[in-house]
Amino acid sequence: MKDMTLIEQYMVCAADEKGRISSFNRERQVCLVAAGLLQMQMEGILEIDEKAVTVTGALPEGMTRLASLYRFLDQGSPVKMERILSEYNFSLNDKRLCELMEDVGGSLVKMGLAREAKTGFFGDRKGFIPEREAIHGVIDMVRAELLEDGEITEDVAALVVLLERGKCLKTYFSEFERREMQEKIDRISDTPKGRMVRKMVETIDDMMGAFVTSLMLLS
């Protein structure tokens, strides 16, 4: 099975039966954007704090699936988290979010890990339905690291937090398994090795907090 990046792993688990991440699942959409930010942070080309995102390096070759998000962020100055959410998750025009999903979904199709489908009310949108092989590959990887004796990596820990905040985990894991995962992540976050994991968790929670605040302002 071909290797997937963090955002591809997340999309494989978060997409619905039509291959989309619906606007009715705003948390899942926010976490898709968060996955892209965290992936670029792990590549060393972004700095993220609770208020803003700053581009610090060029997008590496082979990461075209994140090109549209990178271009939006590469403005020569920090981009506030509220603006990112506004453009990707609360805009009446969902062009930016669709572009990101199509870039990630297209990458999965090229690897043979998803198939393209027509979706939307008029069938004018692209969906990307993950292959079972891709889903099982991601879930087996998570299970090996967090429910067995495997070493926990930063990207898998971040993936689990994204899936939990996006309300996806319960689709694949029992309540007992989810509790076991959280306990293991909590243990690693208290070690020097877990500092990056802890920072990722804080970033995701900051985005989800800003998301909830935005919902309250819109209501």
Side-chain angles (χ1 to χ4, degrees), residues 2-19:
K2 297 179 177 68
D3 291 334
M4 285 184 277
T5 61
L6 175 62
I7 193 170
E8 288 165 341
Q9 292 166 351
Y10 175 78
M11 186 163 173
V12 158
C13 295
D16 61 21
E17 67 277 1
K18 296 180 181 179

Side-chain angles (χ1 to χ4, degrees), residues 166-178:
K167 300 181 180 179
C168 306
L169 266 189
K170 63 182 178 181
T171 302
Y172 305 103
F173 298 98
S174 69
E175 183 179 354
F176 174 79
E177 288 175 321
R178 298 197 303 273

